[in-house]
Amino acid sequence: ERQLVESGGGLVQAGGSLRLSCAASGFRFDDYAIAWFRQAPGKEREGVSCIRGDDGNRYYIESVKARFTVSSDDTEAMVYLQMDNLQPDDTAIYYCAAVSIIMIDHCDFGAFNHMSYWGRGTPVSVTS
């Protein structure tokens, strides 16, 4: 059974850091792209970062590009999102999601709307 479980969220002051973890059981990393999404209160869900298992390419949205780093440990079946210099606008529930690489070009976040796997999320709250 394929399953994604996020952890590592919490409460942090602006300028602080958190590292989110996504335990990805049942996945062969080479065959999947894994992305981090977030949904802030009253806002639509947005893709934040993505890493492809086949070629290791990574993608970030502009607002986090200089502050967040996505990485994976294939042997441990883990994907991480290191978040530095957090700001109140980063407050959201963060989700990891996986989609087969045959369903996605580059790191197209829209591809995760179909035939994808999702975790239940971990909350991140950043105070000013």
Side-chain angles (χ1 to χ4, degrees):
E1 180 185 2
R2 297 182 180 92
Q3 188 176 23
L4 300 170
V5 179
E6 304 92 337
S7 62
L11 177 66
V12 65
Q13 287 188 326
S17 298
L18 285 173
R19 188 175 83 152
L20 305 184
S21 299
C22 174
S25 58
F27 292 89
R28 187 172 183 270
F29 271 36
D30 287 355
D31 295 337
Y32 286 87
I34 296 183
W36 287 95
F37 287 77
R38 66 186 180 187
Q39 187 164 21
K43 294 186 177 180
E44 292 189 356
R45 186 179 67 197
E46 67 170 346
V48 175
S49 181
C50 171
I51 183 168
R52 290 182 60 101
D54 55 344
D55 58 17
N57 278 346
R58 308 174 192 194
Y59 176 79
Y60 304 91
I61 58 172
E62 194 63 35
S63 62
V64 308
K65 192 173 288 186
R67 303 183 294 122
F68 290 10
T69 303
V70 64
S71 62
S72 67
D73 183 338
D74 294 7
T75 59
E76 297 293 329
M78 297 291 292
V79 178
Y80 303 101
L81 186 68
Q82 177 67 39
M83 307 188 296
D84 298 320
N85 192 20
L86 283 160
Q87 300 300 315
D89 283 350
D90 297 316
T91 295
I93 297 177
Y94 283 71
Y95 301 88
C96 64
V99 71
S100 169
I101 57 171
I102 65 173
M103 302 291 291
I104 188 172
D105 288 330
H106 305 292
C107 271
D108 174 15
F109 289 125
F112 289 84
N113 292 323
H114 309 287
M115 298 183 68
S116 55
Y117 301 86
W118 289 80
R120 293 187 176 183
T122 184
V124 170
S125 183
V126 185
T127 60
S128 56

